[in-house]
Amino acid sequence: MTAQATRREHDLLGDKDVPADAYYGVQTARALENFHISGVQLRLYPNLIKAFAMVKLAAARANVECGQFSKEILAGIEKACQEILDGKLHDEFRLDVFQGGAGTSTNMNANEVIANRALELMGHKKGEYKYCDPHDHLNCSQSTNDAYPTSLHVGMALGNVQLVAAMKELIAAFRAKGKEFAPILKMGRTQLQDAVPMTLGQEFEAFAETLAGEVRTLEVIERVLCETNMGATAIGTGLNAPAGYAQKCTEQLAKITGLPIRLADNLIEATQDTQAFVLYSSCMKSLAIKLSKVCNDLRLLSSGPRCGLREINLPAKQPGSSIMPGKVNPVIPEVVNMVCFRVIGSDLTITMAAEAGQLQLNVFEPVIAACIFEAQTMFVNAARTLREHCVAGITANVDILRHYVDYSIGTVTALNPVIGYDKATELAAEAMKTGRGILELLREKKILSEEQIAKVLDPAAMPGQGRPS
């Protein structure tokens, strides 16, 4: 076996060999040895990696404006960062998302990869750091304690844009079904008991609106992610950052990201605070609760196919049992339920991690990052899966729905304004005693004509049918 070619690098702990073809350096190499925890690597979250490239690019430009290093070095850094933004070099970010050190390993991973690629682009070899150094240039005027959380903020904001877009597509699918099902009458239920008539379209429109409310909240809460502490350096005092750097870096980052990035008013407070993550996570938890409830309803409404509610049919995606022939399960809503459970549980992890911060820094930001980036990724995938493999193919069992309306005692409530409460109560009592349907009794007793019955139960006349203009 041929020995792998290496290059020797040096850090605080001494010399260490690094694979010659690796763009990461000695500190990343040590972290790769130290942290084998979850098996989930940074490269699985491209928004985080792109956010680091954006932050390092903004910092480099601000440093040149402040006279910290040459435009030649900046040119190399700019090209290297752009490659990362284009999706290249992401495989160089192999660290476990669970890591000690408050994100230092991830920050150095970014510094080393960008520096080494910049060196190549400048005509030098990897590791020739006198021309472009991970610390002196990529980390210039920075600390992990401002570069890392700022990258989290930016990456989460990028992920939120994708999440909102995916949810809006799912909402549109529910609205389309709401329109398709608008003419179909059914019974509503409260406490799993017959309530009053509604339309299947109203039910699906409600699914759409309950999710739309959560999306509006996500769009509003995004602004809390756009406040950063760049220029704070280690604890917020700005030590080692030149005058004007913090504002210049913030302005550059806003230009690069296209986001309304702004500098926190108090950098000491902002460096130790993780409440933006808590607020954002709570919004995702709220979305998870709503989305899970929708999936619960889809599973219940489609239960059967012979012995359940069977009001709707979900697309059959795969055989449902290894022992029961013919069984098909609602696997798509089920997997989305599980995503929601995970997001709800992660919110508690984020809460505990935020609470555990001490003095001028919270060292548990990596687990917060792991939870939020995972949640965003799963939500985007879940929304697409639910839309493509379930909602788009849902059909209605019109005969079953009509049967429930005809025989439900709850139908009598809609007749109150027409026949009066006493007569309606009398009919309900007789229906309960005999097991017959309200409409059957109405016809037999000739209390209402077919025209009157049709008018009372006209789907187009249902209060709240359709969306407000």
Side-chain angles (χ1 to χ4, degrees):
M1 180 180 293
T2 304
Q4 183 181 20
T6 61
R7 67 176 187 269
R8 179 152 295 189
E9 294 195 11
H10 182 85
D11 66 2
L12 174 69
L13 300 184
D15 292 338
K16 185 172 182 60
D17 289 335
V18 177
D21 61 350
Y23 285 93
Y24 61 79
V26 58
Q27 289 196 230
T28 302
R30 294 194 192 281
L32 284 169
E33 294 177 348
N34 292 334
F35 304 121
H36 296 274
I37 307 298
S38 70
V40 178
Q41 298 180 352
L42 296 174
R43 59 181 172 173
L44 295 180
Y45 300 125
N47 285 328
L48 175 58
I49 296 172
K50 290 180 179 180
F52 261 102
M54 291 175 175
V55 168
K56 296 301 176 178
L57 178 56
R61 288 176 176 173
N63 275 312
V64 169
E65 285 186 54
C66 293
Q68 296 299 99
F69 52 78
S70 71
K71 290 184 178 180
E72 179 187 3
I73 295 173
L74 172 61
I77 292 173
E78 286 182 323
K79 292 176 183 177
C81 288
Q82 187 57 54
E83 287 190 352
I84 292 175
L85 295 178
D86 291 338
K88 299 176 181 178
L89 301 173
H90 286 213
D91 282 347
E92 295 292 319
F93 292 81
R94 302 176 188 176
L95 294 179
D96 198 296
V97 292
F98 281 72
Q99 53 187 256
T104 296
S105 297
T106 300
N107 183 45
M108 287 307 302
N109 194 171
N111 288 337
E112 291 171 348
V113 169
I114 296 170
N116 278 308
R117 181 54 182 150
L119 284 169
E120 285 187 334
L121 293 166
M122 295 164 65
H124 305 292
K125 296 179 181 179
K126 297 184 187 76
E128 293 186 328
Y129 294 137
K130 64 181 180 180
Y131 301 108
C132 183
D133 187 83
H135 289 95
D136 293 339
H137 300 118
L138 267 301
N139 209 61
C140 183
S141 308
Q142 302 159 65
S143 161
T144 292
N145 302 347
D146 57 3
Y148 182 75
T150 295
S151 297
L152 298 190
H153 279 242
V154 171
M156 290 171 193
L158 296 175
N160 191 59
V161 171
Q162 295 173 336
L163 172 55
V164 166
M167 291 306 304
K168 284 184 175 179
E169 290 181 340
L170 175 60
I171 290 164
F174 275 116
R175 292 209 195 282
K177 285 296 170 181
K179 185 176 180 180
E180 177 186 340
F181 296 152
I184 302 174
L185 200 64
K186 65 159 289 177
M187 287 304 299
R189 297 178 180 83
T190 58
Q191 295 165 274
L192 295 181
Q193 306 300 303
D194 298 355
V196 299
M198 64 185 299
T199 71
L200 188 60
Q202 287 175 316
E203 193 159 38
F204 273 75
E205 179 63 31
F207 292 154
E209 191 55 38
T210 198
L211 298 177
E214 298 306 305
V215 168
R216 288 191 288 270
T217 301
L218 286 172
E219 290 177 315
V220 171
I221 204 68
E222 186 178 298
R223 66 185 181 212
V224 308
L225 297 174
C226 292
E227 181 178 283
T228 72
N229 71 330
M230 280 304 286
T233 63
I235 64 169
T237 61
L239 181 67
N240 291 348
Y245 164 82
Q247 191 58 47
K248 291 180 188 298
C249 188
T250 302
E251 291 170 358
Q252 288 287 351
L253 190 55
K255 291 178 184 177
I256 293 165
T257 62
L259 298 168
I261 303 294
R262 62 190 180 281
L263 189 63
D265 292 332
N266 186 313
L267 295 183
I268 292 178
E269 188 279 335
T271 302
Q272 63 191 257
D273 181 56
T274 54
Q275 202 66 8
F277 304 135
V278 174
L279 292 172
Y280 183 70
S281 176
S282 70
C283 291
M284 287 203 295
K285 179 182 75 171
S286 183
L287 172 61
I289 292 168
K290 292 285 192 73
L291 184 58
S292 191
K293 190 271 183 188
V294 169
C295 289
N296 292 341
D297 286 355
L298 292 177
R299 291 189 294 113
L300 185 58
L301 291 171
S302 64
S303 58
R306 299 291 177 86
C307 302
L309 292 183
R310 56 180 175 152
E311 293 191 350
I312 62 174
N313 304 302
L314 306 185
K317 304 307 296 185
Q318 61 189 58
S321 174
S322 61
I323 189 174
M324 293 173 279
K327 192 170 188 288
V328 177
N329 295 327
V331 294
I332 302 302
E334 286 173 353
V335 75
V336 176
N337 277 131
M338 287 186 271
V339 167
C340 295
F341 303 158
R342 177 73 171 209
V343 173
I344 292 168
S346 291
D347 181 69
L348 177 58
T349 299
I350 291 166
T351 300
M352 295 177 68
E355 182 276 335
Q358 296 172 311
L359 303 177
Q360 279 69 60
L361 184 66
N362 187 313
V363 302
F364 301 114
E365 285 180 339
V367 72
I368 292 174
C371 288
I372 291 181
F373 284 112
E374 179 193 63
Q376 288 180 328
T377 300
M378 290 195 301
F379 262 152
V380 169
N381 293 334
R384 174 187 50 78
T385 300
L386 185 61
R387 173 175 55 85
E388 293 180 357
H389 295 289
C390 182
V391 177
I394 292 175
T395 57
N397 288 323
V398 178
D399 291 343
I400 295 295
L401 291 161
R402 188 70 201 195
H403 170 77
Y404 288 152
V405 172
D406 287 349
Y407 285 89
S408 171
I409 295 173
T411 307
V412 77
T413 305
L415 301 172
N416 280 348
V418 181
I419 65 175
Y421 184 83
D422 288 341
K423 178 60 72 174
T425 302
E426 181 183 320
L427 282 172
E430 184 174 350
M432 290 177 67
K433 183 177 180 180
T434 64
R436 300 172 71 187
I438 292 293
L439 297 187
E440 181 184 358
L441 293 173
L442 279 175
R443 293 183 175 109
E444 180 183 288
K445 297 174 183 296
K446 298 183 179 179
I447 296 172
L448 294 177
S449 68
E450 287 298 329
E451 183 180 353
Q452 288 173 310
I453 292 173
K455 185 176 180 180
V456 171
L457 298 180
D458 180 5
M462 290 283 117
Q465 179 66 18
R467 300 183 66 216
S469 58

